[in-house]
């Protein structure tokens, strides 16, 4: 291979998407390095270690298509299990030696003269690459609530993604602020050990009931002996019917599919909560799926325990020994968990990214983060995003989404590696057309039906793929090359 075709790729992030990119590049015998800011791989499954952490996608569906796993302990896997899975995959595919741990990339600057990227890490070292794969993830910048007196609390107070591993939980008075997936899972896990648990819910969530059960050792052995049994779960018709039903519902809020989702969530609430007052506390005032649906199988049981109090009032301030409510109620606490989510609009930030002609990513992402078909950026040549802005969101496997995106990206990479192009980036006209159509469609989805959500950008527009799941799969099968500015062809 001549020097012109010998291209080096930097992968930013060693979570699920970064490992996927590395495995595919290694398989294609392409030179790459992975930069990881932390001391281990796993992304969100490394950062989040809270009790009760569970993926809401069936375990056998939350795996790479090329790396089935027979060792899952239950239908829905725990966070530690998932982290072990990714560590095993990285080891099995020989990726770990390519990862530079404790090496945060602080700057990515495109060099016009040489048509490559200069990356600077937190140690002050510079690295030159031809291609950059951004696999930094979405939910990794914790959002801390602006509550008066939060620093005055004398007990343990921390964000759910910064769990204090040695914390003694037994017989403690525990407060949990937030009722997204993390808050619901933590509350569910701690009701059995806490003396008193207060779940602060500014806005209760709709819950979709799902099943959960353990696999026996005999069943695991069957999975080891017969991969078809794993595929039967991964490609289960009911699982995919649910995905397509959900997708049809969110893009058409008036559809029968959306009505079915709302009926299931409402009926689950009505049938599960016996106390009418508690039931009304837990009833959201917005439509199901406007916020990300909670998939859970036991929260409604746990929240009815005598040691649990659901607090839907407004917090006045946090004090040394607990939380003061505006109505005068005071909750004495030993531990305060902030399950308050993440800044979902930052992605690779705070890394300084400067593209062609000095264009900064901050400028390009004003007023909202976006990318052409959720993958590429005009003005940022040879930079590709996995699970970036405007991609599909929902209760399905993001591994599947990333694999489909890789199929799209790899076809653009082939143009570069073949020597037929030096740089590839979407034309601004094509991107603007995509974004105009996307915004128009996004405003008609369930996400715009009237609620506050991390799906929304600063202007209230959903940062999502607003068309069908199949439309996304079709779009990722092949990039439309006429939409791309392909320069430096040999």
């Amino acid at each position: 291979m001549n020097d012109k075709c010998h291209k080096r790729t930097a992968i930013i992030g060693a979570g699920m998407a970064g490992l996927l990119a590395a495995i595919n590049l290694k398989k294609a015998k392409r030179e790459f390095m992975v930069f990881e800011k932390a001391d281990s791989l796993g992304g969100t499954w490394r950062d989040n270690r809270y009790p009760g952490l569970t993926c809401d996608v069936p375990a056998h569906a939350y795996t790479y298509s090329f790396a089935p796993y027979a060792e899952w302990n239950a239908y829905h896997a725990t966070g530690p299990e998932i982290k072990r899975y990714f560590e095993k995959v990285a080891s099995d595919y020989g990726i770990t030696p390519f990862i530079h741990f404790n090496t945060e990339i602080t700057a990515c600057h495109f060099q016009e003269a040489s048509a490559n990227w200069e990356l600077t890490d937190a140690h002050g070292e510079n690295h030159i690459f031809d291609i950059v794969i951004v696999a930094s993830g979405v939910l990794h910048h914790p959002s801390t609530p602006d509550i008066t007196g939060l620093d005055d609390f004398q007990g343990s107070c921390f964000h759910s993604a910064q769990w204090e591993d040695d914390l003694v939980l037994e017989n403690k008075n525990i407060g949990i602020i937030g009722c997204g997936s993390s808050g619901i899972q933590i509350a569910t896990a701690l009701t059995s050990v806490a003396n008193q648990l207060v779940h602060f819910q500014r806005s209760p969530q709709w819950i979709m009931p799902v099943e959960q059960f353990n696999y026996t050792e005999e069943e695991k052995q069957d999975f080891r002996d017969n991969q078809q049994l794993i595929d039967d779960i991964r490609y289960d018709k009911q699982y995919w019917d649910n995905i397509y039903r959900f997708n049809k519902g969110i893009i058409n809020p008036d559809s029968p599919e959306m009505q079915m989702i709302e009926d299931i969530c409402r009926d689950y609430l009505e049938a599960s909560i016996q106390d009418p007052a508690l039931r009304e506390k837990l009833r959201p005032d917005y439509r199901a799926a406007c916020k990300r649906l909670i998939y859970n199988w036991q929260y409604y049981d746990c929240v009815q325990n005598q040691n649990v109090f659901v607090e839907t009032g407004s917090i006045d301030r946090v004090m040394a020994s607990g939380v003061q409510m505006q109505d005068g109620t005071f909750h004495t606490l030993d531990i305060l968990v902030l399950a308050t989510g993440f800044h979902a609009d930052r992605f690779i930030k705070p890394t300084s990214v400067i593209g062609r002609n000095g264009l900064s990513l901050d400028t390009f992402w004003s007023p909202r983060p976006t990318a052409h078909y959720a993958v590429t950026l005009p003005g940022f040549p040879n930079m590709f995003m996995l699970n970036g802005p405007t991609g599909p969101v929902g209760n399905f496997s993001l591994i599947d989404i990333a694999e489909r995106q890789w199929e799209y990206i790899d076809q653009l990479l082939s143009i570069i590696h073949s020597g037929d192009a030096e740089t590839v980036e979407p034309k601004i006209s094509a991107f603007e057309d995509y974004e105009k159509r996307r915004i128009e469609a996004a405003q008609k989805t369930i996400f715009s039906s009237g609620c506050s959500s991390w799906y929304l950008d600063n202007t209230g527009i959903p940062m999502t793929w607003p068309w069908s799941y199949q439309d996304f799969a079709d779009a990722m099968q092949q990039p439309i090359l006429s939409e791309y500015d392909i320069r430096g062809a040999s």
Side-chain angles (χ1 to χ4, degrees):
M1 181 179 292
N2 60 44
D3 288 341
K4 187 171 184 178
C5 298
H6 183 71
K7 305 295 183 180
R8 302 178 70 238
T9 300
I11 301 170
I12 300 177
M16 174 276 291
L19 295 179
L20 172 69
I23 290 168
N24 281 289
L25 289 173
K26 186 170 185 286
K27 186 184 300 184
K29 298 182 179 180
R30 293 170 177 169
E31 186 178 351
F32 68 93
M33 291 172 60
V34 183
F35 295 94
E36 170 53 54
K37 65 182 179 181
D39 59 4
S40 62
L41 59 81
T44 189
W45 302 107
R46 173 200 62 231
D47 295 344
N48 289 276
R49 306 178 307 280
Y50 59 76
L53 174 60
T54 310
C55 184
D56 59 12
V57 176
H60 286 294
Y62 193 75
T63 58
Y64 299 115
S65 60
F66 52 82
Y69 188 56
E71 309 307 320
W72 298 119
N73 289 319
Y75 185 66
H76 290 92
T78 65
E81 280 189 283
I82 296 171
K83 184 174 185 291
R84 287 194 296 271
Y85 168 73
F86 286 127
E87 290 170 339
K88 181 180 186 302
V89 171
S91 176
D92 289 349
Y93 285 84
I95 298 303
T96 310
F98 293 89
I99 304 175
H100 292 248
F101 292 107
N102 297 308
T103 308
E104 181 177 7
I105 296 300
T106 59
C108 298
H109 292 180
F110 183 71
Q111 308 298 307
E112 296 278 356
S114 53
N116 54 30
W117 287 90
E118 181 178 19
L119 277 60
T120 303
D121 65 34
H123 308 295
E125 296 186 16
N126 294 329
H127 313 266
I128 302 298
F129 289 92
D130 302 283
I131 299 159
V132 176
I133 307 294
V134 179
S136 54
V138 184
L139 305 181
H140 60 108
H141 293 291
S143 176
T144 301
D146 183 16
I147 301 176
T148 302
L150 200 58
D151 293 337
D152 297 333
F153 187 64
Q154 294 298 299
S156 295
C157 179
F158 50 86
H159 191 276
S160 58
Q162 299 163 334
W163 197 267
E164 296 183 3
D165 297 318
D166 298 328
L167 189 65
V168 176
L169 300 166
E170 287 74 13
N171 300 316
K172 300 294 185 180
N173 292 335
I174 302 173
I176 301 169
I177 298 177
C179 60
S181 292
S182 297
I184 294 291
Q185 290 180 350
I186 295 168
T188 299
L190 298 189
T191 53
S192 61
V193 299
N195 174 58
Q196 184 76 26
L197 188 143
V198 182
H199 196 180
F200 298 90
Q201 300 194 12
R202 182 177 60 183
S203 179
Q205 296 268 33
W206 288 110
I207 296 180
M208 173 68 70
V210 290
E211 59 181 345
Q212 172 71 325
F213 53 85
N214 294 328
Y215 290 120
T216 65
E217 286 304 315
E218 181 180 3
E219 287 172 319
K220 291 182 187 178
Q221 188 59 51
D222 289 341
F223 288 138
R224 298 180 194 116
D225 296 338
N226 185 1
Q227 184 180 322
Q228 183 59 48
L229 296 176
I230 294 177
D231 290 342
D232 288 345
I233 297 173
R234 181 177 180 87
Y235 302 109
D236 176 65
K237 183 178 184 302
Q238 182 178 353
Y239 168 68
W240 282 98
D241 282 349
N242 289 339
I243 288 177
Y244 289 127
R245 179 186 66 194
F246 177 84
N247 184 243
K248 289 179 180 178
I250 63 175
I251 64 177
N252 183 1
D254 297 325
S255 64
E257 288 82 7
M258 191 68 247
Q259 186 61 57
M260 184 182 298
I261 291 170
E262 293 190 301
D263 288 346
I264 293 172
C265 292
R266 185 187 61 254
D267 292 348
Y268 183 46
L269 172 65
E270 298 286 353
S272 300
I273 303 299
Q274 303 306 311
D275 178 12
L278 178 59
R279 189 186 309 135
E280 293 314 306
K281 277 188 174 183
L282 295 171
R283 188 186 304 278
D285 61 0
Y286 53 86
R287 298 188 64 181
C290 183
K291 296 176 183 283
R292 189 176 192 273
L293 267 182
I294 305 299
Y295 279 40
N296 194 272
W297 54 89
Q298 60 186 145
Y299 176 75
Y300 282 159
D301 293 331
C302 294
V303 81
Q304 295 177 87
N305 290 349
Q306 291 297 314
N307 67 330
V308 178
F309 182 78
V310 175
E311 176 61 86
T312 57
S314 298
I315 295 174
D316 179 58
R317 63 180 296 114
V318 175
M319 303 179 74
S321 59
V323 174
Q324 178 76 47
M325 308 303 295
Q326 288 185 4
D327 67 3
T329 304
F330 185 79
H331 298 286
T332 301
L333 301 172
D334 303 300
I335 298 167
L336 185 59
V337 180
L338 308 177
T340 47
F342 301 84
H343 295 286
D345 59 347
R346 295 190 180 178
F347 298 94
I348 191 176
K349 295 180 181 182
T351 302
S352 169
V353 181
I354 305 296
R356 195 184 295 279
N357 299 322
L359 175 64
S360 76
L361 189 62
D362 286 344
T363 298
F364 180 70
W365 277 357
S366 178
R368 63 181 60 86
T370 185
H372 189 54
Y373 286 89
V375 174
T376 54
L377 306 164
F380 298 86
N382 296 1
M383 176 172 277
F384 306 91
M385 303 194 76
L386 287 168
N387 285 321
T390 77
V393 296
N395 300 82
F396 44 70
S397 174
L398 286 180
I399 299 180
D400 177 70
I401 297 301
E403 288 192 352
R404 293 183 187 278
Q405 290 177 323
W406 184 261
E407 182 179 357
Y408 182 99
I409 291 170
D410 193 44
Q411 294 175 68
L412 296 174
L413 293 180
S414 294
I415 298 173
I416 300 169
H417 283 284
S418 67
D420 290 335
E422 191 169 49
T423 62
V424 172
E425 65 193 277
K427 296 175 181 176
I428 187 66
S429 57
F431 162 74
E432 289 177 344
D433 175 69
Y434 161 79
E435 185 66 351
K436 179 181 178 181
R437 290 184 291 109
R438 188 197 68 82
I439 290 174
E440 182 179 348
Q443 290 174 313
K444 299 175 183 177
T445 65
I446 194 68
F447 305 131
S448 288
S449 63
C451 68
S452 61
S453 164
W454 63 265
Y455 288 158
L456 304 179
D457 66 26
N458 290 333
T459 70
I461 304 296
M463 298 183 293
T464 62
W465 176 267
W467 303 290
S468 76
Y469 192 92
Q470 190 58 51
D471 284 338
F472 184 78
D474 292 344
M476 291 298 100
Q477 284 186 353
Q478 185 175 1
I480 301 172
L481 294 185
S482 61
E483 295 182 349
Y484 278 85
D485 182 0
I486 300 173
R487 302 191 189 184
S490 59

